[in-house]
Amino acid sequence: MSEPVKPTRRPMNPHFSSGPCAKRPGWQPAALADALVGRSHRSKPGKAKLNEVIELTRSILGIPDGYRIGIVPGSDTGSVEMALWSMLGARGVDVLAWESFGKEWVTDITKQLKLPDTRVFEAPYGELPDLTKVSPDHDVIFTWNGTTSGVRVPNGDWISDQREGLTICDATSAAFAMQLPWNKLDVITWSWQKVLGGEGAHGMLVLSPRAVARLESYTPDRPLPKIFRMTKGGKLIEGIFEGETINTPSMLAVEDAIDGLRWAQSVGGLPELIRRSESNLAAVVDRQGKSKWFDFLAQRPETRSCTSICLRIVAPKIAALDLEQQAKFVKDIASYLEKEGVAYDIASYRDAPPGLRIWGGATVETKDMEAILDWLDYAFNTKSA
């Protein structure tokens, strides 16, 4: 057997982390030159910056006019928590989980909120629970794309148009890379540091008219901290969804979010963002068909994520090892590629099965994805020998 040949082409951008994710192509710190530092976010220009984030978001994603869009604290986690603590309890709850973040929402609902009429539908990493079991009479909480499993729901057809409950969708690794059926979703959340490569700490919260009606008609029997409160006197605090954030945002991060949104608009908007992400997934699919030593963690092709691409090693020699040995082998590959400066942070999430997780969101160039796949082949062949 011939010795593996070390690749000569290298990714122009070696950042393949699944969060914080790669900045948009060509990004430099100078992109933040117009940041409104040292000024109040409540000043007229400060509010204008925050409103620009909201309006660009609405335009690029095609969010219906009747939906409110807010910038909230605590990243995607804060956005989801605001919805769970403010809205749940009015009716039964179905919560779906097939990876670590979905399981966090299970914990919130069953152990913190302790809602009695709750049904939990779980599936192991790589699979989806039976979506047909979701009741249209219940509120349902789910992730559109499982960041730590690389498994996404293929569509929203399983959500009833005649539903009585709310759909609360954690879309943090899906927004700007996948088509979201807004008419099927009532609460949608994500964070800036995913598909558009923004800075962390800020979350986005989108509410349908049905979600607003819930907030204005239902008062949960539990205390709510200030950063969770979206109503006052039984009415929605509209300012939250007009750039009047609950707490002080980083205006550097706001400027970076604007930069990412303007870039997204300049390259062709959502259709091009989706195409770029799907192109990255297609490159991995093509290589998997040739290399054979790895496979997707997602069991069904239609559920494979085009952003958080999770892989497992199926080469018999490695698959026969115990989990601790497999994890060490994966760590060796990830450490080697980091040392070579060709790929950073590509080991699987700590709670996931041993494997690799490569970010393929819209800010990643497909030629860079192809280059890292060359290096993965080389590293596997070298380390397994």
Side-chain angles (χ1 to χ4, degrees):
M1 183 184 235
S2 60
E3 289 290 320
V5 179
K6 193 171 186 177
T8 55
R9 67 171 175 172
R10 307 169 71 88
M12 292 293 292
N13 185 351
H15 297 150
F16 294 95
S17 164
S18 291
C21 302
K23 310 297 284 184
R24 53 103 174 150
W27 185 91
Q28 296 291 334
L32 307 181
D34 290 335
L36 201 71
V37 295
R39 290 292 308 274
S40 170
H41 61 294
R42 301 194 188 282
S43 66
K44 187 174 180 180
K47 189 174 176 181
K49 293 277 189 183
L50 292 161
N51 263 319
E52 185 173 0
V53 172
I54 291 172
E55 292 311 313
L56 282 172
T57 296
R58 185 183 300 279
S59 174
I60 293 167
L61 292 180
I63 299 174
D65 288 341
Y67 283 54
R68 268 75 160 198
I69 305 171
I71 299 167
V72 300
S75 193
D76 177 66
T77 302
S79 304
V80 176
E81 298 281 13
M82 285 180 72
L84 301 187
W85 287 78
S86 299
M87 299 183 191
L88 294 188
R91 56 176 61 240
V93 178
D94 288 348
V95 55
L96 310 178
W98 57 90
E99 50 93 51
S100 59
F101 289 106
K103 291 178 181 179
E104 291 291 343
W105 312 141
V106 171
T107 298
D108 269 13
I109 293 164
T110 60
K111 295 184 179 181
Q112 302 300 322
L113 292 170
K114 299 180 180 178
L115 299 177
D117 188 8
T118 296
R119 303 190 305 166
V120 177
F121 301 99
E122 292 194 56
Y125 278 86
E127 301 178 26
L128 282 174
D130 186 350
L131 302 177
T132 65
K133 291 183 178 179
V134 171
S135 170
D137 295 326
H138 286 187
D139 295 333
V140 58
I141 296 90
F142 69 102
T143 54
W144 191 273
N145 180 83
T147 308
T148 65
S149 70
V151 175
R152 58 176 163 180
V153 293
N155 52 56
D157 295 350
W158 54 280
I159 301 172
S160 172
D161 290 327
Q162 284 74 48
R163 66 189 183 279
E164 294 295 326
L166 299 179
T167 50
I168 300 175
C169 175
D170 174 356
T172 197
S173 294
F176 296 101
M178 303 173 196
Q179 194 71 55
L180 299 175
W182 298 101
N183 64 313
K184 298 274 191 176
L185 306 175
D186 296 302
V187 179
I188 309 94
T189 70
W190 67 90
S191 54
W192 291 350
Q193 72 265 31
K194 292 296 184 182
V195 177
L196 295 185
E199 294 304 298
H202 303 79
M204 298 298 292
L205 177 67
V206 178
L207 304 179
S208 74
R210 299 178 75 249
V212 173
R214 169 71 63 83
L215 284 168
E216 294 184 337
S217 64
Y218 169 67
T219 302
D221 185 21
R222 53 183 169 265
L224 291 178
K226 179 182 178 180
I227 60 171
F228 285 2
R229 296 176 207 153
M230 292 183 275
T231 60
K232 186 175 182 179
K235 292 294 182 182
L236 187 73
I237 302 173
E238 294 284 358
I240 295 173
F241 305 94
E242 296 172 353
E244 297 174 11
T245 55
I246 296 172
N247 67 340
T248 305
S250 161
M251 297 310 290
L252 277 170
V254 169
E255 193 68 26
D256 195 52
I258 291 171
D259 176 73
L261 288 161
R262 288 175 177 171
W263 170 80
Q265 195 174 52
S266 73
V267 298
L270 185 60
E272 176 60 14
L273 299 177
I274 292 174
R275 187 204 67 76
R276 291 172 65 91
S277 294
E278 292 290 351
S279 176
N280 288 326
L281 173 60
V284 183
V285 171
D286 179 69
R287 184 61 61 96
Q288 187 275 329
K290 298 171 182 175
S291 295
K292 303 296 186 184
W293 61 267
F294 69 86
D295 199 356
F296 290 87
L297 186 57
Q299 298 295 298
R300 294 156 45 202
E302 64 270 25
T303 67
R304 292 172 182 165
S305 170
C306 63
T307 54
S308 54
I309 302 171
C310 294
L311 308 173
R312 57 195 178 97
I313 299 178
V314 295
K317 184 177 180 179
I318 306 303
L321 301 174
D322 63 35
L323 291 180
E324 185 176 343
Q325 291 173 314
Q326 290 182 44
K328 183 181 183 304
F329 182 78
V330 167
K331 185 177 180 181
D332 286 347
I333 288 180
S335 296
Y336 172 72
L337 296 185
E338 180 169 342
K339 184 178 179 181
E340 285 285 342
V342 295
Y344 300 131
D345 313 318
I346 64 167
S348 58
Y349 190 72
R350 60 180 180 269
D351 295 332
L356 299 162
R357 182 172 61 154
I358 308 170
W359 185 254
T363 57
V364 174
E365 301 280 22
T366 300
K367 60 185 178 182
D368 282 349
M369 182 64 73
E370 292 167 347
I372 189 187
L373 292 168
D374 291 344
W375 282 89
L376 277 177
D377 277 347
Y378 173 73
F380 173 79
N381 289 325
T382 302
K383 298 293 181 182
S384 64

